Amino acid sequence: MAVPGSFWRQPANRGLVSHCTHHHIVVFLLTFFSYSLLHASRKTFSNVKVSISSQWTPSCLNSTAPELRPYELWNSSHLFPNAEEATLFLGTLDTIFLFSYAVGLFVSGIVGDRLNLRWVLSFGMCSSALVVFSFGTLTEWLHFYNKWFYCCLWVVNGLLQSTGWPCVVAVMGNWFGKAGRGFVFGLWSACASVGNILGAFLASCVLKYGYEYAFLVTASVQFAGGVIVFFGLLTSPKEVGLPELGADEDEVSVEEDANRPLMGNDDVDDDDRNYSIQATDNDNQPKAIGFFQACCLPGVVLYSLAYACLKLVNYSFFFWLPFYLSNNFGWKEAEADQLSIWYDVGGIIGGTIQGLISDVLQKRAPVLAVSLLFAVGSLFGYSRSPNSKPINAVIMAITGFFIGGPSNMISSAISADLGRQDLVKGSSEALATVTGIVDGTGSIGAAVGQYLVSLIQENLGWMWVFYFFILMTSSTILFISPLIVREIRLLLHERRLRMLAQ
């Protein structure tokens, strides 16, 4: 009885280390920090919500305070009569941003597969930095406050920021193959969490001078990062004369099963594996696949729907955690900003460890399922966290481990698997499109969630917000349950074959 090649396994990291050059390291760092800077500017908005809400609502009456004239000048920033309406508008801005971000992801993935990824990424970073500067800094300096203007700026910011993720995942997919992809992308996907930490740190440092300076600092750093990306990023190995990833993997596919696509169907015949959605032209130049072709790839729809539920929960922590800590426990805004970092620390560790485990198993879905089951318990525990900063930080980090980890893995390693499976072999230009679909669907779910969070919190309280998170996390498991069952069956089948081979 012939033993399948999957049982002649060698360490998944061996092929990775043997093919790593200084170009790989530079690409890893540039894409890592470029997306970190994009996330830092988003995090700034969530970190200064309390200050913005105070600025947009009248101050408490003070009989000893001098009466300032003219009244219209000194009270022009009061867009709302009370803090509740200001909070609801802040939630609306989050929803507007995420809806435009979701639409932009679908478009940016297609554009990124057809234009130079470096140009698209650099343009998005620099343009978004200018919009963030206008939104938070310029309007405050000019004392110009208008709800419709804020909404328009945030729509544009969402569209521009959407150029980031499909481009950086596509560039990473061009440089790093399936050998050790779970670990590499698990470590690399910490870029979002590092960006959150950076944004929280920068905001807390300058918040005492005014929230406008928090926007100024992050926008300036992001613009500088966009310039560096334009002049320094290499989008594929062929730009420096190295062999393309597909050709290199074909040479070692007989030796290392780590190069077999994790998303491929193990039940199909060898003849079926040669099928490609696109015909390769005579010059062997990859062509970008269509949007609907990408949607029909195995696993894309299921993981997209699952990510819509999971990103809703993850982004709710991203947008509302500092506000929740300040509002629910009465902690100072700067302290809440610094404490919220522990959620991202947990996400960084979770994404890396879970990615490494998925490399060892050569399966992603079972690892996600176990982590999400623990996430349900951690959410229930965090909803009952006492008014103690050390205890809150520990439970918060555990929650980030089991929610942020799977979220990072779906948006990075699994998206790369989906975009480089057998059905699109010879078409490396599918990566950005597939990534845009997965992350775009996730952002639609997150957009709806931000409005629901503010609505539930206002009418029912924070406890019901956590019940809502538990429901969405359970729905994530439900959507990927067919993939979980199939991959567990494959693991059991492989185990039986190994026992017969001994």
Side-chain angles (χ1 to χ4, degrees):
M1 179 178 178
V3 181
S6 59
F7 302 113
W8 303 102
R9 288 184 181 164
Q10 300 179 20
N13 294 351
R14 200 193 73 173
L16 170 68
V17 175
S18 62
H19 292 86
C20 186
T21 67
H22 72 280
H23 295 296
H24 290 79
I25 298 174
V26 171
V27 168
F28 184 99
L29 294 176
L30 278 179
T31 53
F32 184 97
F33 284 108
S34 62
Y35 196 72
S36 295
L37 295 178
L38 287 169
H39 241 265
S41 67
R42 296 183 212 171
K43 184 65 174 176
T44 300
F45 178 65
S46 66
N47 285 336
V48 299
K49 277 183 175 177
V50 175
S51 296
I52 294 178
S53 179
S54 301
Q55 180 72 6
W56 288 352
T57 53
S59 59
C60 297
L61 296 177
N62 186 350
S63 58
T64 62
E67 185 177 357
L68 300 175
R69 298 288 183 176
Y71 179 85
E72 293 77 10
L73 174 63
W74 293 101
N75 294 275
S76 60
S77 62
H78 297 162
L79 297 177
F80 305 98
N82 52 63
E84 288 74 19
E85 290 193 22
T87 301
L88 193 60
F89 181 69
L90 290 172
T92 303
L93 284 178
D94 290 337
T95 302
I96 289 172
F97 172 84
L98 286 172
F99 266 122
S100 61
Y101 182 72
V103 173
L105 281 168
F106 291 116
V107 177
S108 297
I110 298 173
V111 171
D113 278 338
R114 287 159 174 79
L115 299 179
N116 189 295
L117 292 168
R118 176 169 55 88
W119 297 350
V120 177
L121 177 59
S122 180
F123 170 78
M125 292 182 67
C126 293
S127 302
S128 171
L130 294 176
V131 173
V132 169
F133 169 77
S134 301
F135 177 91
T137 306
L138 193 60
T139 54
E140 181 62 27
W141 284 351
L142 299 177
H143 301 290
F144 178 77
Y145 309 97
N146 184 279
K147 289 184 286 187
W148 293 108
F149 184 68
Y150 287 133
C151 290
C152 291
L153 282 180
W154 235 221
V155 168
V156 176
N157 188 38
L159 294 172
L160 292 172
Q161 287 246 347
S162 68
T163 60
W165 191 248
C167 290
V168 292
V169 172
V171 172
M172 283 290 293
N174 289 340
W175 280 91
F176 294 90
K178 301 176 189 71
R181 177 177 285 163
F183 174 73
V184 172
F185 274 77
L187 183 63
W188 174 83
S189 63
C191 58
S193 298
V194 170
N196 295 343
I197 295 172
L198 178 62
F201 174 75
L202 293 176
S204 62
C205 287
V206 299
L207 193 56
K208 58 185 177 182
Y209 303 109
Y211 74 83
E212 64 271 25
Y213 291 99
F215 285 104
L216 174 63
V217 171
T218 53
S220 301
V221 175
Q222 181 181 313
F223 188 91
V227 174
I228 293 173
V229 165
F230 181 81
F231 289 104
L233 182 63
L234 298 171
T235 59
S236 68
K238 64 182 180 181
E239 292 187 12
V240 288
L242 295 175
E244 292 190 60
L245 194 60
D248 188 56
E249 286 182 350
D250 287 342
E251 293 176 2
V252 297
S253 60
V254 177
E255 286 187 18
E256 296 185 9
D257 182 65
N259 288 331
R260 294 175 60 234
L262 295 172
M263 305 306 304
N265 187 345
D266 288 12
D267 300 327
V268 296
D269 297 328
D270 290 338
D271 293 337
D272 293 333
R273 293 182 185 272
N274 294 327
Y275 170 76
S276 174
I277 284 180
Q278 296 177 312
T280 307
D281 59 17
N282 295 331
D283 296 328
N284 293 323
Q285 293 295 327
K287 297 179 181 179
I289 70 171
F291 176 83
F292 292 105
Q293 289 174 312
C295 288
C296 292
L297 293 173
V300 170
V301 173
L302 289 178
Y303 271 118
S304 297
L305 294 174
Y307 193 49
C309 299
L310 187 58
K311 191 170 184 177
L312 183 155
V313 179
N314 194 42
Y315 260 55
S316 295
F317 274 90
F318 169 74
F319 280 117
W320 289 101
L321 186 54
F323 185 85
Y324 164 74
L325 295 174
S326 180
N327 181 267
N328 192 58
F329 296 109
W331 298 337
K332 293 180 180 180
E333 188 177 18
E335 294 175 343
D337 291 344
Q338 294 173 356
L339 193 67
S340 66
I341 289 174
W342 288 104
Y343 178 83
D344 296 299
V345 171
I348 293 172
I349 300 173
T352 305
I353 293 178
Q354 292 167 35
L356 182 60
I357 294 173
S358 70
D359 277 342
V360 174
L361 295 177
Q362 291 291 296
K363 300 290 182 290
R364 312 280 194 215
V367 179
L368 289 178
V370 173
S371 180
L372 292 172
L373 286 173
F374 281 106
V376 172
S378 65
L379 282 169
F380 185 81
Y382 188 68
S383 67
R384 286 159 173 77
S385 175
N387 192 348
S388 169
K389 293 176 184 177
I391 296 176
N392 193 289
V394 171
I395 305 176
M396 186 191 303
I398 294 172
T399 305
F401 182 95
F402 291 120
I403 293 178
S407 180
N408 290 344
M409 197 155 68
I410 292 177
S411 63
S412 58
I414 290 176
S415 293
D417 290 339
L418 293 169
R420 282 193 174 275
Q421 53 187 304
D422 280 349
L423 292 179
V424 287
K425 192 172 183 180
S427 175
S428 62
E429 306 303 315
L431 250 176
T433 301
V434 171
T435 303
I437 292 172
V438 174
D439 204 23
T441 308
S443 296
I444 291 176
V448 175
Q450 301 323 298
Y451 182 75
L452 292 177
V453 165
S454 60
L455 204 61
I456 294 172
Q457 187 274 329
E458 183 180 1
N459 293 282
L460 300 174
W462 285 109
M463 188 61 66
W464 283 94
V465 171
F466 283 99
Y467 291 151
F468 176 58
F469 291 164
I470 291 173
L471 175 63
M472 290 296 100
T473 305
S474 303
S475 300
T476 303
I477 302 174
L478 181 64
F479 279 122
I480 63 172
S481 57
L483 300 172
I484 296 171
V485 172
R486 185 175 73 88
E487 293 190 7
I488 289 177
R489 285 177 177 174
L490 288 173
L491 282 173
L492 294 175
H493 179 65
E494 291 173 0
R495 182 181 178 183
R496 285 196 297 268
L497 289 178
R498 274 199 299 271
M499 293 176 65
L500 291 174
Q502 291 177 354

